[in-house]
Amino acid sequence: MEIVILPSPAEVARKAADAIEQYVRRGPAVLGLATGSTPLGTYQELIERHRNSGLGFGQAQAFLLDEYVGLPAAHPQSYHSVIRDEFTDSVDFAAGAVHGLDGMAQDPQAEAAQYEERIAAAGGVDIQILGIGTDGHVGFNEPMSSLASRTRIKTLTRQTRKDNARFFDREQDVPDHVLTQGLGTIGQARHLLLLAMGAAKADAIAAAVEGPLAAICPASVLQLHPHVTVLVDEAAASKLTHQDYYRDTFSRKPAWQGL
Ligand code: GLP
């Protein structure tokens, strides 16, 4: 796990965009996209690079991490709509190249199983962007999710519903249930890019990076993955015990190694 502490959220967005750009320029890339507010700066950065420096997504495919159950794709807060509005409609993905879970599926279990098959058929995810919930969730894998879980239906915690209420008119409008890639599914992506900004994420980042591997902090499962980059601003890094070590190591990293 590589921990990179950056001076500002804008620097986190730039560095995350650098990592993603590297895959997109290399050939047909499969991107794992997250929603929530954390990756918005990264998406803005990628949109600017598309407009100003010819970064093309025409060969790429994308898979969303999760979706609310009960929201049709056209609902403004469905993750299908959010990712279109915030990113994919502003670049040049081919029609049908952006995949998400169907929150209205009659049979959510079958939908989850098919989604796993679609990811596998695309050759797996090259780079997966992840945010982190204040309770340490990734995707919508709430505490006590199996560290080996696959895509499935989950019930949101009250904390997550509260955290996400800002996107809805009222807290009671936040759906109770979601479909989410499992922690085992996420762990099959070849490179995981975990982003966090702000003091509200400091406890979750400390638990994920330096705490024990434990289902109480789902993001701690990233410790098992061979290629994880954690990009955090100063505030999100503030509760890490070994900040000096991370800064020192990154400052002396040879440029040719990349992320
Ligand atoms: C949400 C999403 C996650 C996201 C996390 C943090 O509920 N399902 O994918 O990473 O919680 O959200 P935010 O980035 O808005 O803080």
Side-chain angles (χ1 to χ4, degrees):
M1 195 182 263
E2 177 169 51
I3 295 96
V4 185
I5 303 173
L6 295 158
S8 65
E11 284 296 320
V12 171
R14 266 194 287 277
K15 201 50 105 202
D18 289 348
I20 296 157
E21 176 169 1
Q22 165 189 308
Y23 288 92
V24 173
R25 289 210 188 264
R26 204 177 282 164
V30 180
L31 308 179
L33 302 180
T35 40
S37 45
T38 302
L40 295 182
T42 305
Y43 296 149
Q44 269 309 316
E45 188 68 34
L46 291 170
I47 293 167
E48 274 164 39
R49 293 179 193 194
H50 171 67
R51 290 182 181 150
N52 304 327
S53 46
L55 179 62
F57 294 83
Q59 307 261 322
Q61 290 196 69
F63 285 87
L64 299 189
L65 268 181
D66 45 15
E67 184 56 278
Y68 290 110
V69 167
L71 297 192
H75 187 287
Q77 288 313 324
S78 78
Y79 284 165
H80 275 89
S81 293
V82 170
I83 205 68
R84 279 203 305 267
D85 293 348
E86 302 291 357
F87 179 40
T88 56
D89 276 2
S90 302
V91 295
D92 60 340
F93 279 101
V98 179
H99 310 266
L101 286 145
D102 178 4
M104 297 299 282
Q106 290 295 317
D107 182 346
Q109 271 170 309
E111 170 65 11
Q114 281 163 20
Y115 199 61
E116 293 268 345
E117 284 166 18
R118 282 155 71 194
I119 296 172
V125 170
D126 290 308
I127 182 164
Q128 174 66 58
I129 307 169
L130 296 169
I132 188 168
T134 55
D135 59 3
H137 73 243
V138 288
F140 269 134
N141 293 281
E142 296 284 28
M144 257 57 80
S145 287
S146 158
L147 299 181
S149 49
R150 308 304 305 186
T151 304
R152 69 218 183 287
I153 193 164
K154 288 291 288 179
T155 307
L156 294 181
T157 61
R158 290 193 69 173
Q159 181 62 49
T160 299
R161 296 180 71 242
K162 228 182 182 149
D163 287 347
N164 288 3
R166 67 189 190 282
F167 298 115
F168 292 82
D169 291 337
R170 300 166 309 167
E171 192 177 322
Q172 56 265 46
D173 295 339
V174 182
D176 283 321
H177 296 103
V178 292
L179 280 162
T180 182
Q181 285 189 37
L183 294 171
T185 318
I186 292 168
Q188 282 183 323
R190 288 178 275 279
H191 184 179
L192 302 180
L193 190 62
L194 175 65
L195 315 179
M197 288 93 78
K201 299 294 174 70
D203 284 322
I205 285 293
V209 171
E210 294 179 341
L213 176 68
I216 188 73
C217 178
S220 67
V221 75
L222 270 58
Q223 295 174 24
L224 288 174
H225 193 283
H227 192 182
V228 179
T229 308
V230 181
L231 302 178
V232 281
D233 71 353
E234 298 281 350
S238 61
K239 298 207 173 156
L240 290 167
T241 307
H242 301 287
Q243 287 177 50
D244 290 348
Y245 167 59
Y246 308 138
R247 286 181 214 280
D248 181 54
T249 310
F250 190 69
S251 72
R252 292 186 295 112
K253 186 176 185 181
W256 58 262
Q257 276 190 322
L259 282 178

